[in-house]
């Protein structure tokens, strides 16, 4: 029997905060770039560069959110949900490039320290801190649900720390006159951002490679399915993520003789939902070819691309909640 399944999120809850954060970030980016050259501050330029990646990250997130609304079609039957992972990969790559540039420039400034307009540096960094705190507040709610929003939130978080560092640096330069403080702060900002950027990219790569979603234990899921009294064996179990917050599962389940296949499928779907938070489920229910008297799970040959030829006793089913 046919089913029409919608893989898109029921609502896009975080689009409006993304627009607000984009407007604030873009406005301040112009101010900070001008200010960085005016004050000749590498730390401020480092912060401005991160602010530029924030702007691009927010743009990418919004484009991905918009495109993810498009329904599945004949060419992309799962829709466009994975665009968020692609967006997160682009954001991470940009952060690596920016951090590399800042570290390279900092080395040159260690060799030849330059004059810094500490007062202007302080004022611009203070304005940036306020903008970043507002943007963080706007994005915080969605950072745990979407890789795109998480990427944007991470970049704004890094900028917030960068603004704090620049403020402290401006005060220290003003009080002590020690010029190397500026490149030192730039390096510290870059080194703080890089590990967190790698974590974001690793999560995005896992989604693109159809890896097991974070926090999901395949062995426990298999055991949960096999614990049902009517289940003899579970094989061809696959768990992956359509998007960062949309786990999916397919499996072949061998049932005992006399079992109602449709009822079993519904019960297993409910168990997956309640115990593991997996709602997009496709189960193929198979008859017990061996007979209940065997008392052993049915063995299947999976070697070298073996095709599973399921006869008329096999039942295909989809469970979606």
């Amino acid at each position: 029997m046919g089913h029409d399944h919608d893989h898109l999120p029921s609502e896009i809850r975080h689009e409006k905060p993304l627009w607000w954060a984009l407007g604030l970030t873009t406005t301040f980016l112009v101010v900070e770039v001008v200010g960085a050259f005016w004050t000749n501050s590498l730390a401020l330029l480092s912060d401005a560069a991160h602010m530029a990646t924030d702007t691009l990250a927010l743009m990418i997130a919004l484009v991905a959110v918009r495109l993810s609304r498009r329904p599945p079609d004949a060419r992309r039957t799962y829709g466009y949900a994975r665009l968020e992972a692609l967006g997160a990969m682009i954001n991470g790559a940009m952060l690596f490039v920016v951090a590399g540039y800042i570290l390279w420039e900092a080395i040159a400034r260690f060799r030849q320290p330059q004059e810094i307009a500490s007062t202007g540096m302080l004022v611009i960094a203070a304005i940036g801190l306020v903008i970043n705190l507002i943007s963080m507040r706007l994005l915080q709610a969605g950072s745990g649900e979407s890789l795109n929003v998480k990427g944007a939130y991470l970049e704004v978080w890094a900028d917030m720390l960068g603004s704090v560092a620049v403020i402290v640096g401006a005060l220290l330069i003003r009080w002590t006159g020690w010029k190397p403080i500026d490149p030192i702060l730039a390096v510290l900002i870059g080194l703080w951002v890089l590990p967190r950027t790698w974590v974001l990219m690793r999560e995005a790569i896992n989604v693109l490679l159809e890896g097991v979603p974070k926090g999901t234990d395949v062995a426990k899921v298999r055991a949960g399915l096999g614990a049902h009294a009517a289940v003899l064996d579970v094989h061809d179990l696959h768990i992956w993520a359509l998007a960062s917050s949309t786990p999916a599962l397919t499996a072949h389940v061998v049932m005992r003789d006399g079992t109602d296949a449709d009822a079993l499928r519904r019960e297993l779907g409910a168990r997956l939902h309640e115990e593991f938070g997996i709602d997009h489920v496709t189960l193929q229910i198979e008859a017990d070819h061996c007979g209940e008297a065997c008392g052993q799970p049915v063995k299947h040959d999976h070697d070298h691309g073996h095709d599973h030829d399921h006869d008329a006793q096999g039942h295909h089913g989809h469970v979606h909640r």
Side-chain angles (χ1 to χ4, degrees), residues 48 53 58 97 106 136 142 159 162 191 216 218 233 250 255 257 281 300-301:
T53 61
L58 290 166
V97 171
M136 284 178 62
D159 274 337
L191 293 179
T216 301
V218 176
D233 183 37
T250 64
M255 67 180 182
D257 286 342
V281 178
H300 298 267
D301 181 14

Side-chain angles (χ1 to χ4, degrees), residues 14 29 41 82 90 154-155 160 202 208 217 316 320:
H14 309 297
L29 170 61
S41 169
R82 285 193 175 171
I90 295 172
L154 175 60
E155 296 204 41
M160 185 275 294
R202 186 175 61 190
L208 295 174
D217 188 322
H316 297 266
H320 298 274

Side-chain angles (χ1 to χ4, degrees), residues 302-319:
H302 304 292
D303 293 337
H304 306 296
H306 172 72
D307 289 329
H308 298 282
D309 185 11
H310 303 288
D311 57 23
Q313 291 177 302
H315 300 270
H316 297 266
H318 305 270
V319 181

Side-chain angles (χ1 to χ4, degrees), residues 53-76:
T53 61
D54 286 353
T55 302
L56 290 174
L58 290 166
M59 289 180 178
I60 291 169
L62 282 166
V63 170
V65 163
R66 289 279 181 170
L67 290 178
S68 67
R69 287 176 166 176
R70 297 177 62 179
D73 53 39
R75 291 177 60 84
R76 295 172 181 84

